[in-house]
Every structure is written in structure tokens, then in C-alpha cells.
Amino acid sequence: MIKIDIASALMQTLPISKATALQVVDLLTDHMKNALLDGHRIEIRGFGVFEPRPRKRGMGRNIKTGDSVAIPKGRSIRFKPGKDLRAIEIG
């Protein structure tokens, strides 16, 4: 599913235009992105939790050359599915 698919689902559920649906999707994703960049946790009941986590420094390896490369510390996003989403069997 891509952004236009989500906008199409909104258009079928609500009496809004395609442009408005795309604006809603963009607004939602922008707010989520900004919250995560600010270090906030996003919890959507029944779906899951997005949480920024610190990532330790370490040493990695350049696959092409085999040289060791220092990996700086930073943050990564962890997603933990909610109870309702875990109950769905895929496959």
C-alpha cells in the first residue's frame, strides 16, 4: 500500500476530494515524522507504537573493500505492533 492507496481509502470513507485526501495523508505523516525527530513516542491504539531509540557507536565493515568503518551513534525508529495487529495471521 502506498500513499495514494491510503488517500483513495479516505476518499471512499469520507466525502472529500482527492487533493484533500492527499493533504490529510501528507499532514499526518509530517506530524508523525516531526514528533519522532523531536524524540517523542507515537502510540496508535490497536496498531502499534513508533519509538525513537538511541543507537550505540560501533565498528562496521565496508562490504566492497572490507575496510573497517566507524558507525556513529544516532537514533533509529523502533516499531512494536499493537495487540490487534499481532493477532492477524499473515501468509
Side-chain angles (χ1 to χ4, degrees), residues 1-14 16-26:
M1 180 176 260
I2 59 175
K3 183 169 85 169
I4 194 71
D5 296 332
I6 297 169
S8 295
L10 280 173
M11 289 174 10
Q12 291 174 359
T13 306
L14 302 171
I16 57 176
S17 67
K18 182 177 182 179
T20 304
L22 286 170
Q23 285 179 333
V24 169
V25 173
D26 285 338

Side-chain angles (χ1 to χ4, degrees), residues 37-70:
L37 287 172
D38 290 341
H40 298 290
R41 177 177 190 249
I42 299 172
E43 181 177 338
I44 302 171
R45 300 280 170 138
F47 182 73
V49 177
F50 296 91
E51 186 173 21
R53 291 252 172 124
R55 186 179 59 223
K56 295 189 287 184
R57 288 178 36 167
M59 292 300 289
R61 184 174 69 84
N62 183 330
I63 296 172
K64 289 184 179 180
T65 64
D67 295 337
S68 292
V69 178

